[in-house]
Amino acid sequence: SSPNSTTVSYPPTFLLIGIPGLEKEQFWLAFPFGIMYAIAVLGNITLLVFIKTEPSLHEPMYLFLAMLAFTDLVLSTAALPKMLSIFWLGSREIGFLSCLAQLFFIHAFSSVESGVLMAMALDRYVAICYPLRHSSILSVPVVVTLGSLVLARGVVLVSPVCFLLRRLPFCQRHVISHSYCEHMAVVKLACGETRVNAIYGLFVAFVVAGFDVIVICVSYTTILQAVMRLPSTEARLKAFSTCASHVCVILAFYTPALFTFLTHRFGQSIPHSVHIMVANLYLLLPPVLNPIVYGVRTKQIRDRVV
């Protein structure tokens, strides 16, 4: 930057495009997004209230579910209100520090969501493979500790991303071709050496998703083997149906995440608008689906709603 070291090298504001290539259509596209966001907020708050007020739901599975609902609220709220204001009001400016804050919450809580899904897979593994010891292995203190570790991991791994961005010089480019501040989308605007940022971003993605997906796969493989050994067909079907809903939720979270992650680095042939739409759905699909899937699956919640 300039010889005068007090000058800041980052621009005071960035401009968020919304959905590149669909600027004309995004006013209308915002309606389904807005409806999904409303469903997500209502659904997850309802889930949290149910779990808090219903004593029979104070067990590991539902405590993890409460963590998931809270994470989904943070994740969708970090992005959606601003996104809707871009689509409907054309207010595209976002301050540099607000952009970093948004980026922090989105990436940290994506990591938390991944961790909670992993913890839920472990919970199912213990419930199905060690049913008699379930409550002693996954006691409430253990569940709280797991939740705290998952939260701490997200915060500790994602914080350096923000500090690394703070020290990058941004020249004249300040238009982010995205609907929210996403790490690589912001990195691409810098005019300094960004290799460290890119490598660290990859490292975090592999550590979080890599570890969690391995634990989830191992848990479900073991669960499947245990379920196949169950004597009655009815018991097998019951166990399968419980796991099927979990697997749907896991796929709804990881599929768009993986797509977004890969297109950023290798998907030059994929239209940018498709990439951004998937990235937006990635923040909306799980928060909309989780309360529905788990709410419908849970007898106590179903009975209260009906």
Side-chain angles (χ1 to χ4, degrees):
S1 56
S2 68
N4 183 357
S5 60
T6 53
T7 55
V8 276
S9 60
Y10 56 81
T13 58
F14 285 125
L15 281 181
L16 287 161
I17 292 265
I19 305 173
L22 296 177
E23 286 87 351
K24 300 269 187 298
E25 293 82 357
Q26 64 193 19
F27 180 84
W28 300 108
L29 284 171
F31 285 95
F33 281 143
I35 293 166
M36 285 172 82
Y37 178 58
I39 295 171
V41 170
L42 271 170
N44 286 296
I45 289 176
T46 308
L47 207 52
L48 283 169
V49 170
F50 273 163
I51 293 170
K52 187 169 179 358
T53 54
E54 177 59 61
S56 71
L57 296 182
H58 294 176
E59 41 182 277
M61 172 76 193
Y62 303 108
L63 295 176
F64 286 131
L65 192 46
M67 291 176 201
L68 197 63
F70 175 74
T71 305
D72 282 336
L73 280 172
V74 175
L75 205 52
S76 52
T77 303
L80 258 293
K82 177 65 189 168
M83 199 187 293
L84 293 175
S85 75
I86 299 168
F87 293 168
W88 280 333
L89 311 171
S91 70
R92 293 159 44 173
E93 284 203 351
I94 186 167
F96 183 80
L97 296 177
S98 307
C99 185
L100 281 193
Q102 188 185 45
L103 184 143
F104 172 78
F105 279 105
I106 288 171
H107 290 290
F109 279 85
S110 289
S111 161
V112 172
E113 173 122 6
S114 180
V116 173
L117 290 173
M118 171 194 70
M120 290 172 92
L122 282 175
D123 170 67
R124 291 298 82 202
Y125 163 72
V126 176
I128 288 174
C129 299
Y130 304 99
L132 301 177
R133 292 170 51 206
H134 185 217
S135 54
S136 59
I137 295 175
L138 280 174
S139 60
V140 172
V142 170
V143 171
V144 172
T145 306
L146 262 175
S148 311
L149 283 173
V150 163
L151 180 62
R153 179 186 70 168
V155 171
V156 167
L157 282 175
V158 176
S159 298
V161 167
C162 299
F163 293 116
L164 286 169
L165 280 172
R166 275 293 302 263
R167 48 163 213 97
L168 282 181
F170 292 89
C171 307
Q172 298 311 309
R173 291 178 301 187
H174 62 276
V175 176
I176 301 176
S177 52
H178 207 305
S179 316
Y180 54 86
C181 289
E182 195 272 342
H183 177 232
M184 286 307 290
V186 177
V187 167
K188 283 179 178 172
L189 298 183
C191 56
E193 174 54 65
T194 59
R195 197 176 305 143
V196 176
N197 300 68
I199 290 171
Y200 186 72
L202 273 170
F203 164 74
V204 172
F206 278 119
V207 165
V208 171
F211 180 75
D212 295 356
V213 169
I214 288 169
V215 173
I216 289 170
C217 290
V218 171
S219 298
Y220 276 106
T221 309
T222 322
I223 288 170
L224 270 178
Q225 290 169 341
V227 169
M228 294 312 287
R229 288 198 295 270
L230 289 173
S232 77
T233 315
E234 196 186 346
R236 277 204 294 263
L237 285 174
K238 189 171 180 291
F240 267 132
S241 72
T242 309
C243 295
S245 58
H246 287 242
V247 173
C248 287
V249 166
I250 288 164
L251 289 175
F253 176 73
Y254 284 111
T255 312
L258 189 67
F259 178 86
T260 302
F261 178 76
L262 292 174
T263 42
H264 244 314
R265 288 168 175 81
F266 314 108
Q268 278 70 35
S269 60
I270 292 171
H272 203 51
S273 55
V274 173
H275 171 170
I276 303 301
M277 285 288 279
V278 173
N280 293 349
L281 285 175
Y282 160 62
L283 295 183
L284 265 179
L285 263 185
V288 170
L289 285 179
N290 293 347
I292 297 171
V293 169
Y294 287 111
V296 168
R297 290 236 42 106
T298 306
K299 192 178 180 311
Q300 292 97 316
I301 296 176
R302 220 175 30 228
D303 295 349
R304 288 280 295 275
V305 174
V306 177

